[in-house]
Amino acid sequence: MNNLDAIYLDVDDFCLLFEPQWLKHLIESGEKQRIKPSRLSSSEVMTILIAFHQSGYRDFKTYYTKFVCQYWRHYFPDLVSYTRMLKLLQATLPALCSYLKQRFDKPTGIAFIDSTSLKVCHNMRIPRHQVFAGEAKRGKGTMGWFYGFKLHLIMNDEGGLLAVKVTAGNVDDRQPVLLLFIDCINFVQTRPPPFKFIYKLVCYATFFNI
């Protein structure tokens, strides 16, 4: 079994449980969402996207059109066009977020918190940018000014993710700490409490007067 097979099996097992619950949630909440049939399943779309972040390609378009469509067609015989693939990625966003949360690691007693910028365009193109207009904001990081969002995360000393949050680029790095801390607390409530881990986060929040 290669890495792609392992990713697909894990994702597919998740989707078998997630999709019925998600459809039930849409019905009960009254949210209208058009689900257009697709040749590619949600499991296949998510597998392609996850493999992209392990591939070393810098942009998804080149990865999909020059690599997946040429060399992985025997894995995915029902591949769609690049434009259609972008639509499918949007439709699978709830499943991707839930899958990410399911893959969070366990606290080990030591945790690190940090943030990084998610730039949506070059600074010279900010006035012409339309995709995230109204959502992305100007912010400043260690590499200077940028336009986009910030990714805040907590990880353990083994590199495993414990909590993740995305904010606008102008949000203070200290502001999401408490929410990330609450996410970690909710995670450990059903497990034996790692007091050192909780203590370090409390000290961090106290230090910044949160």
Side-chain angles (χ1 to χ4, degrees):
M1 180 184 296
N2 59 30
N3 187 46
L4 188 65
D5 291 333
I7 294 174
Y8 176 78
L9 289 175
D10 190 56
V11 170
D12 191 53
D13 289 341
F14 167 80
C15 287
L16 289 176
L17 298 175
F18 174 81
E19 290 181 344
Q21 297 179 14
W22 178 245
L23 291 176
K24 181 180 178 181
H25 165 74
L26 292 178
I27 295 173
E28 292 178 349
S29 62
E31 297 181 19
K32 295 182 179 180
Q33 182 174 355
R34 183 185 177 188
I35 303 177
K36 186 177 179 180
S38 172
R39 293 181 298 175
L40 276 181
S41 66
S42 299
S43 305
E44 291 174 314
V45 175
M46 291 172 61
T47 300
I48 291 173
L49 182 60
I50 293 171
F52 161 65
H53 292 284
Q54 300 178 347
S55 66
Y57 279 83
R58 295 180 62 88
D59 66 278
F60 184 77
K61 183 176 183 178
T62 302
Y63 161 78
Y64 184 75
T65 58
K66 302 298 184 181
F67 180 74
V68 176
C69 291
Q70 293 187 22
Y71 300 106
W72 277 2
R73 192 166 287 276
H74 59 290
Y75 289 116
F76 308 99
D78 297 320
L79 287 174
V80 296
S81 66
Y82 173 71
T83 303
R84 175 61 179 155
M85 187 63 179
L86 295 181
K87 294 292 185 181
L88 295 178
L89 290 177
Q90 296 177 16
T92 57
L93 183 59
L96 282 167
C97 293
S98 297
Y99 180 73
L100 172 63
K101 192 168 184 178
Q102 186 202 47
R103 298 296 298 174
F104 281 169
D105 209 344
K106 298 179 181 179
T108 60
I110 301 175
F112 304 92
I113 186 169
D114 201 357
S115 65
T116 186
S117 60
L118 300 176
K119 303 176 183 178
V120 299
C121 69
H122 191 276
N123 288 341
M124 297 293 293
R125 299 185 59 189
I126 294 177
R128 302 192 303 272
H129 184 79
Q130 297 296 328
V131 177
F132 293 103
E135 301 293 336
K137 301 295 181 182
R138 296 175 186 260
K140 188 175 184 180
T142 56
M143 302 299 292
W145 290 94
F146 69 94
Y147 180 71
F149 303 90
K150 282 184 180 180
L151 173 65
H152 309 263
L153 54 85
I154 298 178
M155 62 172 42
N156 59 27
D157 58 336
E158 298 175 353
L161 286 177
L162 302 178
V164 175
K165 187 173 182 60
V166 177
T167 65
N170 61 350
V171 172
D172 192 302
D173 288 347
R174 297 168 293 182
Q175 184 174 331
V177 171
L178 184 58
L179 294 176
L180 292 170
F181 172 68
I182 292 174
D183 288 341
C184 292
I185 292 298
N186 292 335
F187 179 86
V188 302
Q189 277 180 344
T190 57
R191 295 167 174 81
F195 292 105
K196 289 184 179 179
F197 169 76
I198 298 176
Y199 175 76
K200 288 179 181 295
L201 281 179
V202 170
C203 289
Y204 187 94
T206 303
F207 177 78
F208 287 104
N209 296 321
I210 297 176

